[in-house]
Amino acid sequence: EVQLVESGGGLVQPGGSLRLSCAASGFAVSGYRMEWVRQAPEKGLELVSNINAAGTYTYYANSVKGRFTISRDNAKNTLYLQLNSLKTEDTGMYYCRIFGRPVRGQGTQVTVSS
């Protein structure tokens, strides 16, 4: 059974940092394009970043480019998202998913507020 468990969210002040983790089981993340999406209050899902299976190509939404970094540890079967220089508009629930497939996990809440 495919499972994705997100963690690492929290409350942080503007300008702060967080590192999100997505622990996968039931499949190998190294074999798939993986991505992070987020959902702000009363808004739809927004693609934040993705990384191809080989780890050689990454995509970032313009709103996070230069501030967020996606990575993957194949040995730990875990996907990461480093969030730096956080802004209030980064607030939302963050989910990881296999590219092109529905969100499966519970997500992790990121709240940026002073």
Side-chain angles (χ1 to χ4, degrees), residues 33-34 49-60 70 72:
R33 179 185 292 270
M34 298 294 298
S49 178
N50 63 35
I51 184 168
N52 68 345
T56 56
Y57 173 80
T58 55
Y59 164 84
Y60 296 95
I70 191 171
R72 185 176 59 214

Side-chain angles (χ1 to χ4, degrees), residues 15-35:
S17 298
L18 288 171
R19 189 194 195 201
L20 307 185
S21 299
C22 171
S25 59
F27 74 104
V29 295
S30 59
Y32 295 86
R33 179 185 292 270
M34 298 294 298
E35 55 190 23

Side-chain angles (χ1 to χ4, degrees), residues 2-4 6 22 27 33-37 45 95-107:
V2 171
Q3 287 193 329
L4 295 165
E6 302 93 342
C22 171
F27 74 104
R33 179 185 292 270
M34 298 294 298
E35 55 190 23
W36 286 95
V37 297
L45 281 176
Y95 305 90
C96 65
R97 68 180 184 188
I98 299 172
F99 173 77
R101 300 195 188 182
V103 167
R104 300 180 68 98
Q106 297 300 307

Side-chain angles (χ1 to χ4, degrees), residues 68-110:
F68 292 8
T69 304
I70 191 171
S71 62
R72 185 176 59 214
D73 186 330
N74 293 337
K76 295 183 178 180
N77 211 28
T78 299
L79 182 72
Y80 300 100
L81 187 68
Q82 178 68 40
L83 288 62
N84 295 331
S85 302
L86 281 161
K87 304 176 180 180
T88 55
E89 52 262 44
D90 294 318
T91 294
M93 189 71 77
Y94 285 67
Y95 305 90
C96 65
R97 68 180 184 188
I98 299 172
F99 173 77
R101 300 195 188 182
V103 167
R104 300 180 68 98
Q106 297 300 307
T108 186
Q109 176 68 38
V110 172

